[in-house]
Every structure is written in C-alpha cells, then in structure tokens.
Amino acid sequence: MYGYSTSQIAELLTALGRPTKKGNTVWSSNSVLGVLQNERHCGEVLARKTYTPNYLDHRTRKNRGERNQYRYKEDHEAIISPTDFVAVQRKISNAKYGGSGIPELHVIPSGALKGFVTVNPRWASFSSSDYVAASAEISSLTQTDENEISIQAQTGDPDFRGFEIARTQFFGTAQKVRVTFSMDNITFSSDALKKLNNPEYVEFLVHPQKKFFAVRKCDRNCRTAVKWASSASGKPMPKPISCAAYIETIFDLFHWDPKYRYRASGVRRQRVEESVLIFDLNETEILIPAEFLDEFRQQNDVSNLEFSPLHLPGRKQTILAYPQSWADSFGSEYYKHTQASETSAIDRDGQWDIAADGTIYAGTEPQPSPPEQLAQHITQLISSFKEEEDV
C-alpha cells in the first residue's frame, strides 16, 4: 500500500534474513504475493479453496468457482485490518493493468454531469455495486411522470401532440455518433471524434441510475485518460479501446450478455468551447453473432420468427436486434423527446460546469490506513527485525 512492489519487498526480506513459512531465507515475488493474499492475516477464513471432483483418484483441484465457498469473518485475532487487506487486494488486481496507487472511485458532485462516476481504465477491482453506491451518494434524482408533459405553447405555435421523432437507428447514414461495447473492446464512430474536435485523449464517465455513458475531452496526463484516436494515417481515426480491466463491470452494471455486442447512439451537448457526448444505454441495439441465434430465440420466446443476417465488413454474419419497446412506434413522442433527461438536465442554466473534477467516494466502510501511519509501521517493523539480528 505504501508503494513497494512485491519484488522490492522480497529483496528487503531476503536482506533482513527473514524466513519464509517453509524456512527459506530467499524470498520471491510469488512468496510475497502469497502472504499478501492470505485472508487469515485479517482474521478471516475462506473455506473450500480446493475440492476433489473424483473420489476414486482423490486428486484435488483449485476451486475457481466450480464449488461454493464460505468465508468466516472475525474467526481469530487479525494482524492487519480487514480494510487494509481489501485495499491491498484491489491494488494487486489493478497492477495487472498498469494501475498504481490506492484504487479510488471519483464521482462528479455538481454541474451537468452530477452523479456520473469516472471510469479508470487501469483499475479492475471495483464492482458494479461500487459504481452504483458512488453515484447514489451524490445523485438526487428527481423522478418525473412521463405521462405528464408540461407544454408551454405560444399563439400560432403548431400542435405536435401525437407526432413522433423517428429514431436515428432506422436511417442508414454513416454520420452517426455511436459507441459499440464488446468484451474485447470499445469502439466509437468517426463522427463521435469529430463532434469533440478530434481529441487524442478522452475520459469515460457512467451514470448507473440513469444508464448514461459520457465522454469528455481531457489531457493525456489525466489519471483516467483513454486514448481513443490514432493519427497514423495523418487523419484522426477511432481506434479500438482495450478495456479488459473494467468491461466486465460495465456489462454487469447494465445486465448485458457477454456473448453479444451492444451499440448505442449519442448526442453532443456543447456550451461555448466545452463539449460532452452523452450515450443513452437504456435502449441499445444488440449485435448477435449468428451462431447464438437459436439460443437468443429460446431466451426471448421468438422461436417462430425469421431473422435476416446483417453483413458487416470483416465480421461473420450478425443479427441486429432492436429493443422490444421499439416495435409499436417509430420513435419518441415529440414533447417527451424535447424534455428528455439527457438534454434538459445538461442544458439547464447554471448547471453546466462540464469539466468539473470528481470527488473521492469514501463509502460507508472504514478507510485504509493513511500513508503516514503506514510509513511509521514499516519503520518500526524493520527496526524490530534488525534488533533481533543483533541479539
């Protein structure tokens, strides 16, 4: 937690002559990692780490979710606090993707993006429930009755009740602001880059309750910066974004099936020189590989319907599925569309501040030990080791 790598810790323990649990005086990164990941040090016991699938050969296997496991808390006296243990596990998980420091969630406290949580591309340790809790701590959502739309008409204004704004997805134009999510990567359309004036780096934000995904420009030195464009050909082009650290959390957050790809259309909201892209993930298009079509039919009770594959360049046959709610309309009612939450909230006077920084989500649990306290404990521990050597 203080910033030392497992290899640095191993070198220090070897230099101090401290024995491993097997009695060795030479430590390795793996032996240090084993100590850091042992839940017994925080007073807990995890039962059924291994299991025997066949009683005939009695060979044990590591339990990777094939069998239920049980965790007993406060089983014995702890030598470190549970909160410090959890923080270490998160840091270990994030290190696989280049993350450094103690993992933190940041939520926007005010302005047009109030309640949005920033997505750190190198932190894998947060669950969907963490994002929901972080957003809920800030958000004060005001639910409005969709059936009650306030209309302020002037004399001579046309009456658009009963009219609908047709969905852009029904029109075959390439100039659309789009984002596509898959378990492999996140991709944006070229028009999405143009709407933000082709920045090289952007920041992702997500609002779990509203199910919105936002993209705003940022500096490459920003801790949560994502490179979404490449200029190798001399012209800014969207590049597939690797998202292994957090994509499972995104899919879990919106209850998506990892076998499919999900595509959403977005809009740009701009005031003066500040712009943001907002994608509504409440109603996404689903791109279903043809080999999963039979499974999809059974799950959605549409086995009697015929489907025509969509041919996409460089991909196998894919079925494009629309939300069921789109079946009985061409779009949204005119007045509901003009008062949609992503436009009315973000354009409200005095509520812009699109570049607002996020505040650290503290949560309801005790926080890990501060760096000053960690430094003091490390110094005391090393001193005690050296005193033992002198005796």
Side-chain angles (χ1 to χ4, degrees):
M1 288 173 58
Y2 193 66
Y4 291 109
S5 66
T6 53
S7 59
Q8 289 175 319
I9 297 174
E11 291 174 3
L12 177 60
L13 292 174
T14 300
L16 292 171
R18 306 307 298 178
T20 67
K21 66 178 181 179
K22 295 182 178 180
N24 299 325
T25 56
V26 177
W27 287 74
S28 66
S29 294
N30 287 336
S31 56
V32 171
L33 197 60
V35 173
L36 294 176
Q37 294 179 320
N38 191 337
E39 78 287 344
R40 293 179 180 271
H41 295 148
C42 67
E44 300 179 359
V45 174
L46 181 62
R48 212 174 190 182
K49 291 182 179 179
T50 61
Y51 70 100
T52 305
N54 190 332
Y55 71 93
L56 295 176
D57 58 23
H58 299 287
R59 293 180 180 177
T60 60
R61 292 183 180 178
K62 189 172 183 179
N63 188 356
R64 302 183 185 277
E66 295 88 352
R67 301 290 189 274
N68 290 332
Q69 292 183 312
Y70 307 93
R71 184 180 290 272
Y72 300 95
K73 297 184 177 182
E74 299 180 0
D75 179 78
H76 52 273
E77 184 179 356
I79 60 175
I80 65 169
S81 70
T83 52
D84 283 349
F85 180 79
V86 171
V88 169
Q89 306 318 303
R90 287 181 168 177
K91 188 168 183 178
I92 291 172
S93 177
N94 296 335
K96 295 185 296 184
Y97 304 99
S100 61
I102 299 300
E104 297 170 342
L105 279 182
H106 289 246
V107 57
I108 308 301
S110 60
L113 297 179
K114 179 180 179 181
F116 277 79
V117 183
T118 57
V119 177
N120 192 306
R122 287 164 289 278
W123 285 351
S125 56
F126 293 109
S127 66
S128 57
S129 59
D130 292 325
Y131 280 86
V132 171
S135 178
E137 187 176 74
I138 295 294
S139 298
S140 55
L141 302 180
T142 55
Q143 301 295 334
T144 58
D145 187 347
E146 293 186 356
N147 295 320
E148 295 183 4
I149 300 296
S150 175
I151 303 174
Q152 295 182 353
Q154 302 294 327
T155 303
D157 284 351
D159 185 355
F160 288 114
R161 285 176 293 183
F163 286 80
E164 295 179 342
I165 302 295
R167 296 183 176 90
T168 60
Q169 292 87 342
F170 294 159
F171 298 90
T173 172
Q175 294 183 341
K176 294 180 181 178
V177 178
R178 281 179 168 174
V179 60
T180 303
F181 298 87
S182 75
M183 292 299 293
D184 297 323
N185 52 54
I186 297 175
T187 56
F188 290 85
S189 64
S190 298
D191 210 48
L193 270 68
K194 295 176 183 177
K195 290 294 185 180
L196 290 184
N197 295 323
N198 298 314
E200 188 175 6
Y201 291 89
V202 294
E203 185 179 34
F204 294 159
L205 306 96
V206 62
H207 199 301
Q209 288 93 345
K210 293 182 178 180
K211 294 186 177 181
F212 288 167
F213 186 80
V215 181
R216 65 181 181 182
K217 293 184 287 187
C218 72
D219 186 81
R220 66 178 301 170
N221 296 321
C222 175
R223 196 176 187 183
T224 52
V226 176
K227 186 175 182 179
W228 77 333
S230 173
S231 301
S233 62
K235 178 181 179 182
M237 296 294 294
K239 64 182 294 290
I241 300 166
S242 176
C243 49
Y246 58 91
I247 194 61
E248 288 188 16
T249 302
I250 295 293
F251 268 65
D252 184 55
L253 192 61
F254 300 114
H255 309 292
W256 290 345
D257 192 318
K259 295 190 297 296
Y260 309 148
R261 290 179 295 131
Y262 293 81
R263 187 168 66 191
S265 296
V267 293
R268 178 186 65 180
R269 290 292 169 253
Q270 181 173 6
R271 181 172 296 179
V272 191
E273 296 298 325
E274 293 184 330
S275 302
V276 62
L277 300 182
I278 302 292
F279 297 89
D280 187 350
L281 304 184
N282 287 283
E283 295 183 330
T284 58
E285 301 169 274
I286 308 176
L287 298 165
I288 307 169
E291 60 263 31
F292 296 123
L293 182 56
D294 290 338
E295 179 181 336
F296 179 81
R297 280 177 168 147
Q298 294 175 1
Q299 291 177 347
N300 295 272
D301 195 25
V302 290
S303 57
N304 60 325
L305 298 181
E306 293 293 331
F307 293 86
S308 298
L310 175 71
H311 297 280
L312 298 176
R315 290 189 177 273
K316 296 180 180 179
Q317 288 188 336
T318 303
I319 304 300
L320 178 60
Y322 293 120
Q324 182 66 34
S325 58
W326 292 9
D328 300 321
S329 66
F330 291 103
S332 57
E333 293 184 14
Y334 177 81
Y335 291 107
K336 287 184 179 180
H337 181 86
T338 57
Q339 297 189 23
S341 55
E342 75 267 21
T343 57
S344 61
I346 217 165
D347 288 340
R348 188 178 299 130
D349 291 339
Q351 294 294 313
W352 188 245
D353 196 16
I354 210 68
D357 292 328
T359 58
I360 298 175
Y361 164 64
T364 57
E365 299 179 358
Q367 296 303 294
S369 301
E372 299 80 11
Q373 186 177 340
L374 292 173
Q376 182 180 2
H377 287 171
I378 292 172
T379 302
Q380 292 175 348
L381 194 60
I382 293 177
S383 298
S384 66
F385 288 162
K386 290 182 177 179
E387 288 175 2
E388 292 179 14
E389 289 182 350
D390 296 336
V391 174

